[in-house]
Structures are given as C-alpha cells and as structure tokens.
Amino acid sequence: MSAPDGSPVGAERSIGQLFASATAEMSALVHDEIALAKAQLKQDVKRGATSGGAFSMAGAVLLFSLPMLNFALAYGIRTWSDWNLAICFLLSFAANVLVAVVLALIGVVFAKKAKKNKGPQKVAASMKQSAGVLQKAKPHPRPELTQDRVPEAIEAVARSSS
C-alpha cells in the first residue's frame, strides 16, 4: 500500500513532498468545488428556462387561441343551450383564461423550485469553510533534530540559499 505520491505508507516524507501533496489535493478540491457549482448552476438555469417557457406558453395560448377558440366555443354553446350569444362568448373567454391560469401555475411551481435551490451558495459556503479550516491549521510539532541527524534535503536547501 502506498500514499498518493507513491511513497510507502509509514515512511517519512520530506516537507517538500508533504507540501506538494497538500497543494495537489487543495487544487483538486478547488476544481471539484468549481465543477459542483457549475453543475448546480446549470440545473438552476434549466429550471428557470422551464419556468420561462411555461409562462411564455401561457401567454401564447391566451393570445393566439382567443379569436378561434372564442368563436368556436361561443357558437357551440349557443347551439347546445340556446342562450344569448354574448353570454356564450363570455363563457368561451373564461375557458381560455382558465387554461392560461393553469399554465401560469405550472410556471410558478418551477420558478419556486429554481429559486429555492441554493446550490452555488452552498458551494461558496463550503469553500469558505475549507479555507477557514486551512487558515487555522497549525503544523504538527516535530521533535528537534540533532546536528548529526540533519536530513540531506535540509542541507541542500541550506546550501542553495547561501
């Protein structure tokens, strides 16, 4: 079994390896958080588009069906009931309004679902929480190394910085 960087588990890793591993994991975390935010935003946009489509359909049905449906329905009611023609036209208009109201209610339901979903806000809060945890993190105390046990990596850094 080995660690993510390929070194055996339980083996001492250098500070550079630990830092590189932590940096890679943070980068992957940030990329995953961004991908999650994009997916949630895409879902919210889809719900909003469905809501807008339903509202548009309600308006189109009401607008384009009024003349034809009103005449057909009014004359149909007149034929069946022998009522006054004006009352028949009012009843046909009421039927069209009822259809438009049902479509508008469908649009409201989808709009509420799109508004209720707080996907990107959840991701932003999660990222802030992760950043807060990392800012408060303190390095684990390590035992002091004696001069005769100085690792080669520290000697190399000391040589390169002087």
Side-chain angles (χ1 to χ4, degrees):
M1 194 164 159
S2 64
D5 64 351
S7 64
V9 173
E12 291 291 325
R13 296 191 296 172
S14 70
I15 293 174
Q17 289 172 330
L18 291 172
F19 185 75
S21 176
T23 303
E25 290 174 12
M26 277 301 297
S27 176
L29 176 66
V30 169
H31 287 292
D32 290 344
E33 293 279 350
I34 291 170
L36 177 63
K38 284 181 182 179
Q40 289 175 340
L41 190 60
K42 187 176 181 180
Q43 184 180 21
D44 288 346
V45 167
K46 188 182 286 187
R47 284 188 179 148
T50 303
S51 171
F55 282 126
S56 299
M57 289 296 294
V61 165
L62 186 60
L63 182 67
F64 294 122
S65 70
L66 283 179
M68 296 299 274
L69 289 177
N70 280 339
F71 280 105
L73 192 56
Y75 283 111
I77 294 171
R78 169 88 171 153
T79 302
W80 294 328
S81 66
D82 206 25
W83 288 345
N84 187 354
L85 193 57
I87 293 174
C88 296
F89 272 102
L90 285 174
L91 288 174
S92 67
F93 176 74
N96 287 328
V97 169
L98 182 66
V99 169
V101 166
V102 168
L103 288 173
L105 288 175
I106 291 170
V108 166
V109 167
F110 278 102
K112 284 184 179 181
K113 283 184 180 180
K115 188 176 181 183
K116 188 184 290 187
N117 192 1
K118 304 273 188 205
Q121 290 85 357
K122 288 179 185 176
V123 172
S126 172
M127 289 180 74
K128 285 180 184 178
Q129 183 182 14
S130 297
V133 167
L134 290 174
Q135 286 176 350
K136 295 177 183 175
K138 296 179 182 174
H140 185 69
R142 305 220 181 255
E144 291 293 323
L145 295 176
T146 59
Q147 286 297 348
D148 59 327
R149 288 194 55 205
V150 175
E152 294 174 7
I154 294 176
E155 288 177 5
V157 170
R159 277 185 265 140
S160 66
S161 64
S162 56

